[in-house]
Amino acid sequence: MVAVAALAAALSVWVWAAPGAAAVRLAELIGTRSRRPRPRLLPERPRPAAKAAAWRAASIELCQIIVAELAAGKTPGDALARAVLSVSAPDPAVLAPVAAIARDGGDVSAALLRAAPALGGEGLVRLAACWRVSVTVGGGLAALVERVGGSLREAEAHRQDLAAQLAGPRATARMLAGLPVLGLLMGAGLGMNPLSFLLGGPAGFACLVVGLSLNATGVWWTNRLVARAEGSPVTQEPATQGPTTRGQGP
């Protein structure tokens, strides 16, 4: 029992001492190089958050390639088509119609809007707005796309910094979720029998219900605060509809 109590205490300390913001940020910078692929028996389905991050990265890469192609003297349609073929998109088949329409001189803005996913497609939406402005009022496409790419990079950097800062609250939620089990293990390790008290009478059952309710409320509230911080307007790309509004003038 003493060994169980020591193990529970060590586990609680490990959960409490979660990696801080600096450690999480450092892991993000070097983790992709140090990780080794693990064999999997079943194909892993990408999470929505990971897929959205991949689409945001692809949008930034798309803007950079378009600017480079335009600077090399390519026409806007050819620049977009070559960029679509070169970009590392999560689902290349989604962007394939955009390349075909760009080569044929069709409605590129509408094609980009159709290809933009619900999660992570903000960059494609803004690129479509730039294309509409360039076609409608004759603005410089290279300058518009370069500005959009810069704003997307800044927003992504801010999002990553925020995720690193929220590592502490996430660790707190994990700690709260594991406290009841750790408490039972530590009580058993000290020679007590907490389950017999909690399940042996009305008083113990009331304590169990109240304790679990308070713990669940704490976990829910912490996760809610983290979700609100992640979805705050500060983390969203500014002025998403700006170019579109300018292009709709009389």
Side-chain angles (χ1 to χ4, degrees), residues 120-178:
E122 300 88 356
L124 296 181
V125 173
R126 299 191 66 185
L127 184 58
C130 290
W131 217 276
R132 185 180 298 112
V133 169
S134 178
V135 172
T136 304
V137 301
L141 182 61
L144 292 174
V145 175
E146 186 176 6
R147 183 176 180 181
V148 167
S151 64
L152 292 176
R153 286 191 298 270
E154 292 177 0
E156 187 64 20
H158 178 76
R159 186 181 288 104
Q160 293 178 0
D161 291 339
L162 181 61
Q165 295 173 8
L166 292 177
R170 288 195 180 97
T172 301
R174 293 196 301 268
M175 182 185 67
L176 289 176

Side-chain angles (χ1 to χ4, degrees), residues 42 47 75 86 99 127 130 161 168 229:
L42 296 176
R47 295 177 300 173
T75 63
S86 302
L127 184 58
C130 290
D161 291 339

Side-chain angles (χ1 to χ4, degrees), residues 13-116:
V13 171
W14 178 81
V15 173
W16 176 76
V24 173
R25 182 62 174 165
L26 181 61
E28 289 179 352
L29 294 176
I30 66 175
T32 55
R33 297 183 179 180
S34 61
R35 280 196 228 105
R36 294 182 179 180
R38 298 179 180 178
R40 297 184 181 275
L41 299 178
L42 296 176
E44 183 181 4
R45 186 177 182 181
R47 295 177 300 173
K51 194 171 183 179
W55 271 113
R56 288 193 296 265
S59 300
I60 296 174
E61 184 182 1
L62 187 66
C63 292
Q64 293 174 343
I65 298 176
I66 290 175
V67 172
E69 294 291 340
L70 290 174
K74 298 293 190 301
T75 63
D78 290 338
L80 178 58
R82 293 170 65 90
V84 168
L85 296 177
S86 302
V87 73
S88 302
D91 190 358
V94 175
L95 293 178
V98 178
I101 293 176
R103 290 195 187 95
D104 297 339
D107 192 348
V108 174
S109 179
L112 287 171
L113 290 178
R114 288 193 299 268

Side-chain angles (χ1 to χ4, degrees), residues 205-234:
F205 188 74
C207 292
L208 177 63
V209 172
V210 172
L212 290 178
S213 300
L214 292 176
N215 185 74
T217 302
V219 173
W220 171 81
W221 182 250
T222 304
N223 289 331
R224 184 171 182 268
L225 291 178
V226 171
R228 289 184 61 183
E230 288 181 335
S232 61
V234 179

